[in-house]
């Protein structure tokens, strides 16, 4: 009878620990996701400015200082998108929150728009491996990996 009590105590303790870890992990994923969404809202003006610049073919002339600065402006935005894609693919953020906010599809659309723009922006889109992996996933979800149930 005493062994049964110890066994119950141990399994209850392990189950409680596992539950605590899972709840803590989910909270961490949600916190990271919300931080990314906050950054997205802050960066939205930068993205809006890039779309404005895309309307002017001379804005990305590599022979001018302003053209090179604008190219670097796009590169910084793509660097941020690469970090978002990496966190999403690796499951280090809540995929459900990020997907429902539309970030994976926005990143895919933004990269497609840059590719369609032509030189010098089209070649830049291939430098980011995680962003390009997003394009292979339908609706921004990994088709060949299990869905992250903890993070959503």
């Amino acid at each position: 009878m005493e062994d049964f009590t110890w066994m119950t105590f141990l399994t209850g303790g392990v189950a409680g620990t596992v539950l605590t870890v899972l709840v803590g992990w989910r909270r961490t994923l949600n916190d990271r996701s919300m931080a990314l969404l906050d950054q997205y809202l802050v960066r939205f003006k930068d993205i809006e400015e890039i779309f404005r610049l895309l309307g002017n073919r001379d804005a990305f002339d590599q022979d001018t200082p302003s053209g090179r600065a604008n190219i670097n402006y796009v590169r910084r935005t793509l660097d941020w998108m690469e970090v978002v894609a990496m966190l999403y693919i690796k499951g280090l953020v809540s995929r459900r929150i990020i997907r429902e906010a539309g970030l994976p599809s926005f990143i895919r659309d933004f990269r497609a728009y840059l590719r369609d723009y032509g030189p010098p922006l089209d070649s830049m889109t291939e430098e980011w491996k995680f962003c390009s992996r997003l394009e292979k996933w339908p609706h921004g979800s990994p088709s060949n990996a299990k869905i992250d149930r903890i993070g959503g």
Side-chain angles (χ1 to χ4, degrees), residues 23 110 132 136:
V23 168
F110 186 75
S132 62
K136 297 177 175 97

Side-chain angles (χ1 to χ4, degrees), residues 53-62 64 66-68 70 117:
L53 289 169
L54 290 171
N56 177 5
R57 278 308 229 183
D58 295 330
F60 299 101
D61 182 1
Q62 295 179 7
T64 65
S66 64
R68 288 189 296 275
N70 290 337
Y117 182 84

Side-chain angles (χ1 to χ4, degrees), residues 7-125:
M7 185 60 88
T8 304
F9 176 74
L10 287 176
T11 57
V14 169
T17 301
V18 168
L19 184 60
T20 301
V21 168
L22 292 177
V23 168
W25 179 247
R26 183 180 179 117
R27 181 173 294 152
T28 299
L29 294 177
N30 289 343
D31 289 347
R32 286 183 195 147
S33 301
M34 296 312 292
L36 278 181
L37 293 179
D38 284 344
Q39 287 180 12
Y40 174 65
L41 293 174
V42 168
R43 291 179 181 271
F44 196 77
K45 286 189 177 206
D46 294 340
I47 294 166
E48 191 175 61
E49 176 64 14
I50 290 170
F51 278 114
R52 188 189 69 72
L53 289 169
L54 290 171
N56 177 5
R57 278 308 229 183
D58 295 330
F60 299 101
D61 182 1
Q62 295 179 7
D63 295 329
T64 65
S66 64
R68 288 189 296 275
N70 290 337
I71 291 169
N72 286 333
Y73 193 53
V74 172
R75 186 177 303 278
R76 280 192 308 275
T77 301
L78 282 170
D79 285 344
W80 178 79
M81 290 180 179
E82 175 73 355
V83 170
V84 171
M86 187 246 340
L87 293 172
Y88 179 85
I89 289 169
K90 299 271 185 189
L92 298 173
V93 293
S94 169
R95 290 184 179 141
R96 180 184 51 80
I97 291 173
I98 299 300
R99 186 175 51 251
E100 287 177 6
L103 279 175
S105 46
F106 177 78
I107 291 170
R108 284 193 305 268
D109 294 346
F110 186 75
R111 291 183 73 244
Y113 195 80
L114 293 179
R115 271 195 308 274
D116 292 345
Y117 182 84
L121 303 181
D122 58 346
S123 62
M124 286 177 24
T125 62

